[in-house]
């Protein structure tokens, strides 16, 4: 195994670990606090708790379990579309 390949594997692992950690933190933030982080998400996410649950499922699925990831993506989409109850 060459040094260039090992470096590529290490960098890709660090990128995926950072993405996973970001998804987990954003999902917990949305689920526990009931608000979406950042201005852009606050304007576009109508149901932050539903959105947070979806992001957590995407992080839990880790793209290795497609069914969990698909359910998570569906919940994220519902968090953007469903209007809050009056």
């Amino acid at each position: 195994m060459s040094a260039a390949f090992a470096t590529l594997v290490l960098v890709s692992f660090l990128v995926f670990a950072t993405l996973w950690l970001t998804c987990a933190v954003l999902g917990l933030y949305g689920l526990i606090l009931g608000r979406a982080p950042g201005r852009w998400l606050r304007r576009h996410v109508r149901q932050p708790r539903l959105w947070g649950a979806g992001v957590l499922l995407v992080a839990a699925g880790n793209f290795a379990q497609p069914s969990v990831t698909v359910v998570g993506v569906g919940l994220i989409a519902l968090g953007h579309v469903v209007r809050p109850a009056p």
Side-chain angles (χ1 to χ4, degrees), residues 37-78:
R39 266 186 238 151
W40 188 86
L41 282 174
R42 281 190 197 131
R43 281 186 278 145
H44 290 87
V45 173
R46 295 180 179 173
Q47 293 284 340
R49 291 187 195 267
L50 192 62
W51 180 86
V55 173
L56 272 178
L57 281 177
V58 168
N62 204 16
F63 299 107
Q65 299 171 335
S67 59
V68 174
T69 304
V70 168
V71 170
V73 170
L75 286 176
I76 291 171
L78 284 175

Side-chain angles (χ1 to χ4, degrees), residues 6-28:
T7 304
L8 178 66
V9 169
L10 178 65
V11 168
S12 62
F13 173 76
L14 290 175
V15 167
F16 283 120
T18 303
L19 287 173
W20 178 84
L21 185 63
T22 303
C23 281
V25 168
L26 290 176
L28 283 172

